[in-house]
Amino acid sequence: MTPIISIIMGSTSDLPVMEKAAKFLEEMQVPFEMNALSAHRTPAEVEDFAHGAQARGLRVIIAGAGMAAALPGVIAASTTLPVIGVPIKGMLDGLDAMLSIIQMPPGIPVATVGVNGAQNAAILAVEMLALSDEALAKRLADYKEGLKQKIVKANADLHEVKYQFKTN
């Protein structure tokens, strides 16, 4: 099985956040890989990864990083594949990482999700891939319908909660 999405994190300490992306990709049956590569500690490896990503069959890259958060931008600078950045909460509640990821120069875009939003990064990646994969689009639609049904049920359950002055 050849991975079509790569999940990259700056350190394995980011795994508790980034594994949410892996779990969603598992649920959607999308082949992926996971690696720890640091823009600052292993810059040559990051560039080699990014330069070779498309030739290896990858179609989307999810890159999580905290603090200076250079990893998504460095990868985006070395590939034409879409890169989705996940700011990891660390210092300043992740604001520093988020600002580092979203403030990319013209020509080097990085899609950015919320702080610790690895699951949303995976959903966005699957939405991109689903544009040309009907079976994946169906699994994604089923997932989103499930989200809707959870709220419908929660609302129905809420109607059963009784208060003296509650009117519904």
Side-chain angles (χ1 to χ4, degrees), residues 115-137:
V115 174
N116 288 357
Q119 182 177 358
N120 271 351
I123 293 168
L124 180 57
V126 168
E127 288 174 341
M128 292 174 184
L129 295 172
L131 292 171
S132 60
D133 183 331
E134 287 184 33
L136 183 56

Side-chain angles (χ1 to χ4, degrees), residues 148-164:
K148 173 186 167 187
Q149 292 308 316
K150 285 180 186 176
I151 295 300
V152 168
K153 182 184 180 322
N155 190 46
D157 292 346
L158 190 57
H159 283 274
E160 299 303 315
V161 176
K162 302 297 179 194
Y163 291 96
Q164 182 179 353

Side-chain angles (χ1 to χ4, degrees), residues 87-104:
I88 307 275
K89 184 176 181 178
M91 309 205 46
L92 304 177
D93 286 331
L95 180 60
D96 50 342
M98 183 182 66
L99 292 173
S100 293
I101 295 172
I102 63 174
Q103 295 297 329
M104 295 302 299

Side-chain angles (χ1 to χ4, degrees), residues 18-89:
M18 299 306 289
E19 71 182 351
K20 293 177 179 96
K23 289 177 181 178
F24 183 78
L25 296 175
E26 278 285 313
E27 183 179 340
M28 291 292 109
Q29 303 168 25
V30 175
F32 67 95
E33 64 180 21
M34 293 180 85
N35 290 291
L37 296 170
S38 170
H40 299 110
R41 293 177 290 242
T42 60
E45 288 83 350
V46 170
E47 284 201 25
D48 288 346
F49 161 80
H51 285 299
Q54 192 166 8
R56 291 190 311 105
L58 292 174
R59 296 178 58 200
V60 182
I61 298 168
I62 299 170
M67 296 189 294
L71 184 61
V74 170
I75 291 171
S78 298
T79 185
T80 58
L81 294 175
V83 176
I84 304 169
V86 179
I88 307 275
K89 184 176 181 178

